[in-house]
Amino acid sequence: MNIALIAHDAKKELMVQFCIAYCGILSRHTLLATGATGKTVNEATGLNIIRFLGGSQGGSQQIASRIGCNEIDLVLLFRDPLNPKPHEPDETALLRLCDVHNIPVATNIATAEMLIHGLERGDLDWREYVKN
């Protein structure tokens, strides 16, 4: 599966800790990330990550375009809900595309853990049931 990783600055450490905890599972998949998130996670875990631009520089849009082309299977977007970001419309568009294309998306650690456990068990093979 192709898994996109995006984390606001205040949530980058949480993303790192999540990726450390689930490194064994994540290492079996293709990881894509916005710039600083990808760099931070790679340095902390050694996971191979395809990096795009930073989120505020268009990285979220690059990932959204991959969603539109059915090249992303799961999105982990750790948002900081208390501090709005100037590129929030880009993230809103990304979340809308996840809904349009039936892409599982987690915006917090609790949902991310549910999805990663489902991925490990093989429960996330939903595409065979979804008719676009």
Side-chain angles (χ1 to χ4, degrees):
M1 290 191 124
N2 294 330
I3 302 172
L5 307 174
I6 305 166
H8 289 171
D9 290 343
K11 300 293 181 171
K12 284 197 186 353
E13 183 58 30
L14 182 62
M15 180 65 80
V16 166
Q17 294 305 316
F18 178 85
C19 290
I20 288 170
Y22 296 105
C23 194
I25 298 167
L26 294 170
S27 67
R28 297 191 297 264
H29 301 279
T30 301
L31 304 177
L32 307 97
T34 51
T37 300
K39 181 180 184 211
T40 305
V41 170
N42 171 263
E43 289 173 352
T45 65
L47 288 167
N48 292 323
I49 299 174
I50 298 167
R51 288 178 42 208
F52 295 107
L53 296 171
S56 62
Q57 298 161 336
S60 296
Q61 291 176 334
Q62 289 177 300
I63 290 175
S65 72
R66 295 273 180 122
I67 292 169
C69 295
N70 290 319
E71 296 173 4
I72 301 287
D73 302 301
L74 176 67
V75 175
L76 303 178
L77 167 58
F78 289 5
R79 302 188 312 161
D80 178 5
L82 301 178
N83 296 305
K85 303 292 181 247
H87 59 281
E88 214 166 275
D90 297 337
E91 291 176 356
T92 301
L94 184 145
L95 293 171
R96 184 182 63 76
L97 283 170
C98 287
D99 289 342
V100 168
H101 293 276
N102 292 306
I103 304 299
V105 59
T107 59
N108 60 60
I109 188 76
T111 307
E113 287 191 331
M114 296 291 284
L115 289 176
I116 204 78
H117 287 295
L119 180 63
E120 183 178 29
R121 288 189 311 265
D123 296 345
L124 290 184
D125 195 13
W126 73 95
R127 290 186 188 255
E128 66 186 71
Y129 305 108
V130 177
K131 302 207 189 294
N132 291 330

